[in-house]
Amino acid sequence: MQETRPPARRAAAQVRALRAMLPRALRAPGTRARFMRAGLKPGALRTPDDLAAIPILRKGDLPALQEQAPPFADLLGLPLGRLARVYLSPGPILDPEGDVPDYWRFARALTAAGFRKGDLVQNTFAYHLTPAGMMLDAGLRRIGCVVLPAGVGNTETQADLLRRLPVAGYAGTPAFLLTLLEKARERGADPRRDLRLRVALVSGGILSESLRKTLREDFGVTVRQAYATADLGCVAYECAAQAGMHLDEAVFVQVCDPRTGCPVPDGEPGEVVATALNPVYPLIRFGTGDLSVLDRARCSCGRTAPRLTRILGRVDEVPKIRGMFVHPRQVEEALSTFPGVARFQMVVSHRDHDDVLTLKVVVTGPATPGLADQIALVLREKVKLRATVEVVEAAALPEGAKKVVDLRKWD
Ligand SMILES: [Zn+2]
């Protein structure tokens, strides 16, 4: 089984796949130009890590690149006439679909999430223009699930279908799953008695642990998540351990510093940069713009692929403090051990050529003595960040205030 092979065997297989893909990838003028500009000879590639010499191809640059060299920025690995479908996803970015079963590789993610042959699955991802609906549809069909192609919206109809049909699985965003289940209950269904729904694979939205718990405890649905993009297909997916998302076998992922393009040490946040081992659309060093952390520790499920701990947000919305991205959500998690903290604000400034973080917090009720120091300690342990913590009056930090204020001047 590929998912449980020793990491060294996976690495060797990925090198072989990369080498096998390169001749076709380099027939695409866009890819050839990138290799030439980087001064990289394809024959000199020993490991996928050698690709780091090639500057990141940014997802945010694709709309302009596709406009300059329509339709696929000269990056397609085969003639357009041999594709199965073409999509337009937000950006706007055109996405090709190759003519192979489960092109987007969702079968593994669905199996890891508990979907089984014969399950009836309500797929609420959009089927029009964007590939999300077909991505899941193809994976579900690959493992023998029966698909109800529900698409987005029609909440009442969809809630009724959950009851009328023995729907066992859900695919869609986490928020819409909750909406549907609440609507079904509002329309008279007892979720545990009248519904058969037991598994869900969610993507395209933040799945908080509290939402996961509600869906499990109130509605009896086990929810797992996957990380995918319209360009790459499935990149990573959760297993039963629910401790991060295992990287898919067909993508080579580096977590990189977006400014330098170099991989960051394991455990530090950086941009997810992926090379798709996909001869149809061989994207090399593709910068997703999503921020995550790579974890190579062994997983109790037996899968040996490294995991992305979670998606922290977009690279361009997250401050970098002393060379490290610090997402407000990381701070929020660290603060969750202090029930009295109502809200916070990260203020980043510059002093003597060093970044300084001041964390302002508002507490409900009187502040306990030493609270600021305790918070600073937890931040240092959990986020690896030195910060000055200030407990401020509620009026000084109104509700809805920005989570991050960056006072540094970039010149
Ligand atoms: Zn696992």
Side-chain angles (χ1 to χ4, degrees), residues 92-374:
I93 296 173
L94 292 161
D95 312 300
E97 180 189 331
D99 194 7
V100 290
D102 192 23
Y103 171 76
W104 312 99
R105 310 177 314 279
F106 260 96
R108 277 204 175 110
L110 288 158
T111 304
F115 289 69
R116 295 294 177 262
K117 188 175 194 286
D119 285 347
L120 174 59
V121 180
Q122 195 153 332
N123 181 14
T124 69
F125 280 114
Y127 274 82
H128 292 137
L129 283 178
T130 84
M134 291 304 285
M135 279 184 174
L136 271 295
D137 198 295
L140 288 163
R141 292 298 305 128
R142 183 72 173 168
I143 58 176
C145 291
V146 182
V147 183
L148 172 60
V152 294
N154 301 310
T155 309
E156 292 191 353
T157 307
Q158 291 216 40
D160 290 347
L161 282 169
L162 267 187
R163 185 180 192 176
R164 191 167 160 194
L165 287 164
V167 174
Y170 166 94
T173 64
F176 191 57
L177 175 56
L178 183 64
T179 302
L180 267 191
L181 288 166
E182 283 175 339
K183 181 61 77 178
R185 189 160 60 186
E186 191 186 302
R187 291 167 75 80
D190 175 340
R192 288 194 177 263
R193 194 191 60 213
D194 303 327
L195 307 184
R196 305 280 180 80
L197 194 62
R198 57 177 185 83
V199 287
L201 182 67
V202 299
S203 197
I206 301 290
L207 172 67
S208 66
E209 287 309 312
S210 62
L211 175 56
R212 171 146 44 199
K213 192 160 167 257
T214 300
L215 291 165
R216 169 98 215 118
E217 290 178 0
D218 295 0
F219 298 99
V221 185
T222 299
V223 184
R224 302 216 172 95
Q225 54 189 334
Y227 167 57
T229 83
D231 332 84
L232 300 162
C234 184
V235 175
Y237 52 91
E238 268 184 338
C239 60
Q242 288 177 191
M245 299 177 282
H246 289 284
L247 293 177
D248 182 77
E249 303 290 327
V251 283
F252 174 73
V253 169
Q254 295 169 311
V255 171
C256 296
D257 180 327
R259 281 194 200 149
T260 65
C262 295
V264 298
D266 289 347
E268 280 188 20
E271 181 177 8
V272 177
V273 176
T275 292
L277 302 171
N278 168 12
V280 174
Y281 196 32
L283 289 173
I284 291 170
R285 292 266 289 162
F286 181 70
T288 59
D290 292 317
L291 198 63
S292 190
V293 176
L294 200 62
D295 180 3
R296 290 185 201 275
R298 280 194 86 90
C299 182
S300 59
C301 77
R303 288 178 183 81
T304 52
R307 283 164 289 170
L308 294 178
T309 54
R310 62 199 178 289
I311 302 302
L312 296 164
R314 298 289 297 170
V315 165
D316 42 14
E317 293 164 357
V318 179
K320 197 172 186 189
I321 304 168
R322 285 188 210 109
M324 217 175 86
F325 286 102
V326 183
H327 195 282
R329 209 170 304 129
Q330 289 173 284
V331 174
E332 199 171 300
E333 274 178 26
L335 289 177
S336 65
T337 47
F338 299 94
V341 174
R343 53 188 178 272
F344 68 91
Q345 183 176 62
M346 300 158 64
V347 181
V348 193
S349 57
H350 219 68
R351 192 191 306 142
D352 302 331
H353 307 290
D354 195 13
D355 296 333
V356 178
L357 173 66
T358 307
L359 187 74
K360 295 183 175 177
V361 298
V362 172
V363 295
T364 49
T368 49
L371 178 69
D373 290 341
Q374 287 165 25

